[in-house]
Amino acid sequence: MSEVHRRPASIGVLTSGGDAPGMNAAVRAVICTAVHHGIDVYAIHEGYRGLLTGGPLIQRMEPEDTDTILHRGGTTLGTARSQEFRTRDGRRSAARNMVDRGIDALVVIGGDGSLTGADIFRQEWPDLLAELVDSGDISADAAGAHPVLRLVGLVGSIDNDMSGTDMTIGADTALHRIVEAMDALRSTASSHQRTFVVEVMGRQCGYLALMASLATAANWLLIPEQPPAEDWAMQMCRDIKAGRDIGRRQSVVLVAEGAHDTHGNPITADHIKTMLEQELGEDTRITILGHVQRGGAPSAFDRYLATLLGHAAVERLLTDGVDTTPQLIGLRGNRVVTTPLMDCVAQTQAVAERIKAKDYDGAMLLRGGSFRQSYKILQTIQQAAARPTPAGRHRFRLAIVHGGGPSPGMNNAVRAFVRLGLDRGYTVLAVQNGFRGLRDGDIQEMGWMDVSGWVSDGGAEIGTNRFVPSGEAIAQTAEQIAAHRIDGLVMAGGWAGYQAAHELHRHRGQYRSLDIPIVCMPMTINNDVPGTELSIGSDTALNSIVADVDKIRQSAVATRRVFVVEVMGRDCGYLALLSGLSSGAERIYLPEEGITLDSLTADIHTLAEGFRTGKRLGLIIRSEHADAVYTTGFLTSLFEKEGGDLFDARQAILGHIQEGGDPSPFDRIHATSLTARCIEFLAEQLESGGRASAMLGFQSGRLQFTDLTSYPTLIDPHAQRPLEQRWMDRRGLAEIMRR
Ligand code: ADP
């Protein structure tokens, strides 16, 4: 192998630009992965300032140095703006500090400015080294040993404003902060019949404002990509008044900090307040969320995303050749993707340029399909009433039913179903108490305001259970479907819901009324249903687990202790694996793998060795059905006994709190957007006379329908889980991250 194709000598990792929650998880993943491959890794403190200052700001790292950073917000490495790095002299000093330590590969976690700076540095690298040789600062041998600078970029930014990735590190956490604040405001606003104008971050990008609107009941939205029409102020007042007239007790106008009118004049919160007070006499208050949005512990998704990307960054550096264009590592759907770094920067800047040039359609186009789709859905749901139905449109009767355990997001699905259905001119029916209610005819016609206030509530307002009809119940269900003249059915639920929907579909030849399109939408915290890589509700459950594990971690600070934490999931280890990855567990037991005595013995040895060399906390995540014999109690007793004087052991069974709680922003948004797709599916079938039934899900990150007829072929007949579980690909990553 030629000299220049060998692996990087040492890797440096830095965070730069604005801080973002999740950056620490990325740094940890970079360090663990590099050490896993036997490569030295250095943490560079204070961004580029640290790189060019050197000394104690560049520190060699070991995985144990990262034990306490995963759950922390911001960046523990620190970040700083550096004017000096913008100069060639500054970059020369940086190069010298790196060569002195043998660092010739960099993982830069920052925004487009930081990544642009990194690319300039990379291009100049050979010349900078030649200059350092000329000035006698480094030897020719040292320069020769590091002919190229390898570079990968990860985007840390709460704004989600970067091309090349669906999500930037930090955006999901910011959304959590905004949605928490807006839920809190809603209760005070409705107590006083007030209007709130809430300003959120996003100078060039309306992502946070748009998604927060979709996840809360905001009534008006202003984002930079889509300035409102000329008479926006009057339109806004009319819409707020219409909401009041139908009984809304609170109104919220959400404005991104970069919002402006079609002429480019800023629209400020003050301006909006004045308009509302003048025109409507509304008691209006302004809340500018500001830096709160950056703060707090990273969400489960940000920890997972950052871990995935940090790991992929090092893997990429190891395979990059000398001529490789530096890449940005991002996520599309749930796949890690790489895109040339500077293409991403250029594309990102293009959106800002379109906005500046007042080409707003162009800006929306560049933002992508799901941004535009979300904007469209929001416009409908925000209305005070359905639009008049065009003459001649058939008023189909659609029903929604849940099945399986409760899942956060179920109320969002019903809310979206009711409003989007009514807006199409359909009659919408909610089946109470799952398939038992469908059998008994417990079915209610819904109106626009019947779902008011449902956006933030966990649980399932219309009820759910695990009843699966068979025998006589099928005939009774068919009768009720006929009696209520149901033309199409959405089943938003989990395992039992899929079984029930398939049972009805299977009997469509026997009962004419069952020969209707049925669409299943995945809503279960367990993520154990077929036809999808992700189910709604699991994100809320993961956040609940991760928050609890953070507390467990703190409780154990003064002792040397192993915690065995049992999480839900039934026969599916998704929650265990993902929560283990997001909380820094050293061992994760899954039902897919079971537990053996040999593995337990090995784990005890590993734990003992860790505690002997300074470890203070051992974290084990055990999925509830991981093994019938080696229960959580058994494991805890075993570790307690074998830990001797080195460590003690405690168990924490998290239980049903994982199914409860307010739905996370992701679950609210996904519940809403998937429901929209389900209604479209039914509408297409009914309008074309089709009778197909399907399961909607994420496959390779895209929404896809799978024929419901194939349901039995997609599941494990012995265990309650799908045959294909793509998330198991992350098993290896969990092994690298365990310590
Ligand atoms: P962000 O990375 O969040 O966009 P900035 O644009 O402030 O944040 O950039 C962070 C740092 O990256 C700057 O302080 C500077 O050190 C470096 N940087 C940004 N742009 C360049 C550039 N064109 N050349 C060299 N360094 C740059």
Side-chain angles (χ1 to χ4, degrees):
M1 195 180 283
S2 78
E3 176 77 333
V4 287
H5 279 97
R6 67 185 183 359
R7 305 192 317 171
S10 302
I11 294 175
V13 54
L14 62 86
T15 55
S16 173
D19 64 313
M23 280 179 160
N24 292 327
V27 169
R28 173 175 175 269
V30 168
I31 292 168
C32 291
T33 310
V35 171
H36 170 78
H37 286 291
I39 295 197
D40 289 350
V41 58
Y42 289 82
I44 295 145
H45 294 259
E46 309 302 337
Y48 292 125
R49 182 143 63 87
L51 198 62
L52 57 86
T53 309
L57 293 181
I58 305 181
Q59 267 175 6
R60 172 101 187 270
M61 301 294 278
E62 294 294 343
E64 50 266 35
D65 300 326
T66 66
D67 272 356
T68 55
I69 67 170
L70 179 65
H71 57 289
R72 294 198 193 285
T75 161
T76 49
L77 292 191
T79 174
R81 314 262 181 220
S82 167
Q83 276 310 321
E84 229 186 319
F85 192 73
R86 291 179 186 271
T87 68
R88 195 176 171 95
D89 284 350
R91 294 192 290 272
R92 196 181 306 108
S93 306
R96 182 187 172 164
N97 284 326
M98 288 172 65
V99 172
D100 283 350
R101 291 163 181 81
I103 305 170
D104 55 10
L106 271 185
V107 180
V108 174
I109 310 167
D112 59 341
S114 306
L115 299 176
T116 305
D119 193 57
I120 293 169
F121 185 42
R122 180 196 66 90
Q123 288 176 35
E124 289 175 351
W125 178 267
D127 294 341
L128 293 174
L129 263 52
E131 291 164 25
L132 287 167
V133 172
D134 286 349
S135 59
D137 286 308
I138 62 171
S139 69
D141 282 353
H146 308 290
V148 292
L149 171 64
R150 287 177 172 87
L151 169 69
V152 293
L154 304 184
V155 193
S157 158
I158 66 160
D159 292 340
N160 204 24
D161 54 354
M162 189 84 181
S163 180
T165 185
D166 287 350
M167 287 297 283
T168 58
I169 296 167
D172 183 55
T173 306
L175 211 44
H176 273 258
R177 294 297 97 80
I178 296 170
V179 167
E180 281 155 17
M182 290 186 64
D183 283 352
L185 281 178
R186 220 167 62 97
S187 49
T188 166
S190 72
S191 304
H192 296 273
Q193 292 226 35
R194 271 189 186 136
T195 298
F196 271 90
V197 182
V198 182
E199 184 191 290
V200 301
M201 284 185 168
R203 259 184 231 127
Q204 308 282 3
C205 183
Y207 175 86
L208 289 177
L210 171 59
M211 294 304 164
S213 294
L214 212 52
T216 63
N219 310 88
W220 240 74
L221 168 72
L222 291 147
I223 53 173
E225 294 89 341
Q226 200 65 184
E230 199 74 35
D231 64 341
W232 68 269
M234 287 303 138
Q235 183 61 47
M236 174 183 72
C237 291
R238 271 198 299 276
D239 287 351
I240 298 291
K241 179 161 185 319
R244 287 278 184 231
D245 291 347
I246 55 158
R248 279 188 182 143
R249 288 191 57 83
Q250 82 286 334
S251 312
V252 177
V253 176
L254 198 59
V255 54
E257 60 179 337
H260 51 81
D261 64 19
T262 42
H263 306 292
N265 305 312
I267 298 179
T268 63
D270 276 331
H271 187 177
I272 297 165
K273 173 180 154 79
T274 309
M275 292 309 300
L276 290 167
E277 286 180 343
Q278 268 176 11
E279 297 298 319
L280 298 180
E282 285 277 323
D283 179 7
T284 308
R285 307 292 159 105
I286 293 176
T287 298
I288 295 180
L289 291 182
H291 283 79
V292 166
Q293 295 163 82
R294 278 192 191 286
S299 67
F301 177 80
D302 270 329
R303 298 181 200 201
Y304 170 66
L305 171 73
T307 303
L308 209 58
L309 300 188
H311 166 258
V314 174
E315 296 291 338
R316 178 76 205 195
L317 286 176
L318 293 181
T319 51
D320 268 358
V322 59
D323 296 327
T324 312
T325 313
Q327 303 285 309
L328 181 135
I329 317 267
L331 197 73
R332 284 252 179 272
N334 64 355
R335 300 268 182 284
V336 174
V337 291
T338 62
T339 318
L341 185 66
M342 293 317 287
D343 289 359
C344 298
V345 171
Q347 175 96 348
T348 303
Q349 289 166 353
V351 182
E353 278 155 22
R354 298 268 166 111
I355 294 174
K356 218 160 145 199
K358 305 194 175 72
D359 173 11
Y360 304 119
D361 289 343
M364 283 298 268
L365 212 61
L366 286 177
R367 279 281 177 245
S370 83
F371 192 95
R372 291 195 301 276
Q373 166 88 350
S374 301
Y375 188 76
K376 207 172 130 215
I377 295 172
L378 178 72
Q379 283 183 313
T380 304
I381 288 186
Q382 274 184 338
Q383 292 165 178
R387 287 171 296 180
T389 313
R393 179 177 287 177
H394 191 82
R395 284 184 73 87
F396 291 113
R397 293 170 65 84
L398 303 189
I400 187 164
V401 63
H402 298 314
S407 183
M410 282 182 158
N411 293 330
N412 302 80
V414 178
R415 173 177 179 264
F417 176 81
V418 168
R419 295 203 170 158
L420 295 172
L422 288 174
D423 196 58
R424 280 176 174 266
Y426 299 162
T427 301
V428 289
L429 306 163
V431 179
Q432 312 290 313
N433 297 315
F435 283 84
R436 195 174 287 135
L438 191 56
R439 179 197 64 185
D440 299 341
D442 194 357
I443 297 165
Q444 197 183 327
E445 185 173 338
M446 303 291 279
W448 192 269
M449 288 303 281
D450 290 339
V451 289
S452 175
W454 286 23
V455 75
S456 57
D457 292 340
E461 288 286 333
I462 63 169
T464 184
N465 54 52
R466 296 202 162 89
F467 177 77
V468 178
S470 62
E472 185 55 18
I474 302 271
Q476 291 166 340
T477 305
E479 257 172 51
Q480 291 299 338
I481 289 181
H484 287 86
R485 292 177 288 118
I486 295 173
D487 296 311
L489 181 66
V490 172
M491 194 299 295
W495 188 265
Y498 276 66
Q499 278 184 310
H502 181 254
E503 275 308 289
L504 299 189
H505 183 61
R506 207 162 64 82
H507 287 87
R508 67 193 182 286
Q510 253 164 290
Y511 302 96
R512 249 190 84 214
S513 66
L514 295 185
D515 190 19
I516 55 170
I518 301 174
V519 59
C520 296
M521 148 174 173
M523 301 209 77
T524 161
I525 65 164
N526 301 329
N527 198 22
D528 60 355
V529 289
T532 189
E533 291 161 7
L534 183 70
S535 71
I536 299 157
S538 56
D539 183 60
T540 306
L542 281 174
N543 277 292
S544 163
I545 297 170
V546 164
D548 283 339
V549 171
D550 284 353
K551 287 179 201 140
I552 288 170
R553 198 182 272 286
Q554 284 166 2
S555 81
V557 76
T559 48
R560 290 195 295 181
R561 183 165 283 175
V562 169
F563 261 102
V564 184
V565 180
E566 181 182 299
V567 302
M568 290 176 93
R570 297 170 80 90
D571 292 344
C572 174
Y574 176 81
L575 284 181
L577 183 66
L578 271 279
S579 64
L581 262 174
S582 309
S583 60
E586 37 231 288
R587 192 70 178 96
I588 306 167
Y589 296 122
L590 307 176
E592 285 80 0
E593 298 167 341
I595 305 177
T596 64
L597 194 55
D598 281 350
S599 69
L600 286 175
T601 311
D603 292 340
I604 290 167
H605 286 308
T606 312
L607 281 169
E609 186 52 33
F611 280 98
R612 242 177 246 122
T613 52
K615 177 195 276 297
R616 302 202 60 82
L617 172 76
L619 186 64
I620 313 274
I621 305 269
R622 182 186 175 282
S623 187
E624 59 182 353
H625 289 184
D627 195 276
V629 175
Y630 300 127
T631 60
T632 301
F634 178 95
L635 296 191
T636 311
S637 305
L638 182 74
F639 291 141
E640 174 74 18
K641 165 105 182 17
E642 298 296 323
D645 293 338
L646 269 176
F647 59 89
D648 59 20
R650 294 288 186 275
Q651 71 174 33
I653 297 179
L654 300 185
H656 282 83
I657 46 172
Q658 296 158 82
E659 279 184 335
D662 296 345
S664 69
F666 257 26
D667 282 334
R668 297 182 194 193
I669 294 161
H670 282 149
T672 306
S673 58
L674 262 67
T675 303
R677 290 297 291 269
C678 286
I679 293 181
E680 273 166 25
F681 175 89
L682 293 181
E684 277 162 24
Q685 291 300 316
L686 293 171
E687 277 158 20
S688 66
R691 287 288 174 272
S693 290
M695 297 171 278
L696 175 59
F698 296 92
Q699 287 169 27
S700 304
R702 287 221 209 91
L703 281 178
Q704 309 259 0
F705 290 98
T706 308
D707 193 336
L708 185 57
T709 315
S710 64
Y711 168 79
T713 65
L714 300 175
I715 53 169
D716 183 333
H718 306 297
Q720 289 196 359
R721 58 178 174 249
L723 286 170
E724 190 180 30
Q725 295 179 293
R726 296 299 292 262
W727 52 267
M728 276 296 275
D729 294 353
R730 310 292 184 223
R731 191 62 179 112
L733 176 58
E735 287 301 308
I736 293 172
M737 292 301 135
R738 77 183 273 207
R739 294 207 322 94

